């Protein structure tokens, strides 16, 4: 059972950590390169602000974005703004999402996200939590995968493993962390099972495309290539 109220609390905490970090950036830093190819930190921040608006739209039953082109144009337009404007937008959009989430609602209902993807409304707060935590890391300002809450790491591994489950382009893969927790992913033949072991944070880094998997131990074949998220 997904506890949306718990996840909203986690979103608040992650957002405060992000706002504190962004509040220390100057204009030059915001304009500098992020860890995402082709994106400045301003692009990441603009994306986070518009994502808060978009997930609020989802909870209201509206389209997440007017279109992919509009989404991309809004990020490009917001990227060059000075640090103070980025911070204000980030805070106000985050508050707006939380205000929508505080409204009485049927959290068991199905909602529609980008590209026609559907999910339970109760999982939307977790999706926002993912955006805030991982893009905080992408800013490259001292917050690393190792700083992520342990609960988040475990749940995001499970979420991403499930996302690739049944994908025949990914070999059948068994994941094991140092605490002997296990997950399954991929959709290839079970007879060609690949096993991947290592620290949970390294498993997460590989699954979400933030690490190359070099710190993982692989048996049964090469480390699987994963589709982009």
């Amino acid at each position: 059972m997904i506890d949306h109220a718990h996840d909203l609390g986690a979103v608040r905490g992650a957002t405060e950590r992000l706002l504190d970090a962004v509040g220390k950036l100057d204009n030059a830093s915001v304009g500098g390169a992020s860890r995402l190819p082709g994106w400045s930190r301003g692009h990441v921040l603009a994306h986070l602000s518009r994502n808060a608006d978009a997930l609020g739209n989802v909870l209201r039953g509206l389209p997440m974005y007017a279109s992919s082109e509009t989404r991309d144009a809004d990020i490009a337009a917001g990227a060059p703004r000075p640090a103070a404007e980025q911070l204000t937008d980030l805070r106000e959009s985050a508050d707006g999402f939380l205000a929508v989430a505080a409204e009485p609602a049927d959290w068991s209902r199905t909602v529609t996200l980008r590209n026609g993807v559907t999910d339970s409304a109760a999982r939307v707060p977790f999706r926002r939590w993912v955006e805030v935590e991982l893009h905080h890391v992408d800013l490259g300002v001292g917050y690393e995968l190792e700083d992520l809450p342990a609960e988040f790491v475990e749940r995001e591994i499970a979420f991403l493993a499930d996302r690739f489950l049944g994908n025949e382009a990914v070999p059948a893969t068994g994941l094991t962390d140092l605490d002997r927790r296990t997950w399954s992913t991929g959709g290839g033949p079970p007879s060609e099972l690949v096993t991947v072991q290592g620290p949970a944070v390294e498993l997460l880094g590989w699954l979400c495309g933030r690490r190359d998997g070099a710190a993982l131990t692989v048996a049964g074949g090469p480390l699987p290539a994963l589709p982009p998220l």
Side-chain angles (χ1 to χ4, degrees):
M1 182 70 70
I2 302 169
D3 186 345
H4 72 276
H6 168 82
D7 289 349
L8 286 170
V11 170
R12 293 185 187 94
T15 300
E16 286 305 315
R17 290 191 293 275
L18 175 64
L19 289 170
D20 182 64
V22 174
K24 297 173 183 177
L25 301 179
D26 58 19
N27 292 341
S29 297
V30 167
S34 77
R35 292 174 173 173
L36 295 179
W39 271 20
S40 68
R41 293 190 181 98
H43 283 89
V44 176
L45 295 174
H47 165 62
L48 277 166
S49 295
R50 299 293 70 77
N51 173 263
D53 295 341
L55 290 177
N57 288 340
V58 168
L59 291 179
R60 290 189 177 99
L62 301 171
M64 187 170 180
Y65 296 101
S67 68
S68 293
E69 293 75 17
T70 299
R71 171 189 177 273
D72 295 345
D74 285 346
I75 293 171
R81 296 174 300 175
E85 287 186 31
Q86 296 279 13
L87 181 62
T88 297
D89 190 17
L90 190 65
R91 179 182 293 109
E92 291 179 351
S93 60
D95 288 346
F97 169 74
L98 291 171
V100 174
E103 297 172 2
D106 174 14
W107 286 94
S108 67
R109 72 192 187 280
T110 298
V111 295
T112 302
L113 296 126
R114 192 181 174 205
N115 298 325
V117 172
T118 59
D119 203 349
S120 165
R123 202 191 303 272
V124 171
F126 177 72
R127 287 179 176 272
R128 177 59 182 172
W129 189 12
V130 171
E131 293 286 328
V132 174
E133 293 285 17
L134 293 185
H135 286 315
H136 190 168
V137 173
D138 293 334
L139 288 174
V141 292
Y143 191 71
E144 304 295 341
L145 294 178
E146 286 77 10
D147 298 312
L148 296 171
E151 178 198 352
F152 174 83
V153 171
E154 181 178 2
R155 288 180 60 188
E156 180 66 350
I157 290 173
F159 183 78
L160 292 174
D162 186 65
R163 179 167 182 166
F164 298 126
L165 191 64
N167 188 326
E168 295 183 359
V170 180
T173 306
L175 310 173
T176 305
D177 74 358
L178 299 184
D179 293 324
R180 312 307 298 173
R181 293 175 295 191
T182 61
W183 302 266
S184 297
T185 194
S191 60
E192 300 176 9
L193 179 70
V194 176
T195 60
V196 180
Q197 302 181 51
V201 71
E202 294 292 346
L203 290 172
L204 172 60
W206 168 62
L207 286 167
C208 72
R210 268 73 177 181
R211 299 272 169 93
D212 63 7
L216 300 172
T217 301
V218 186
L223 185 69
L226 300 176
L229 296 175

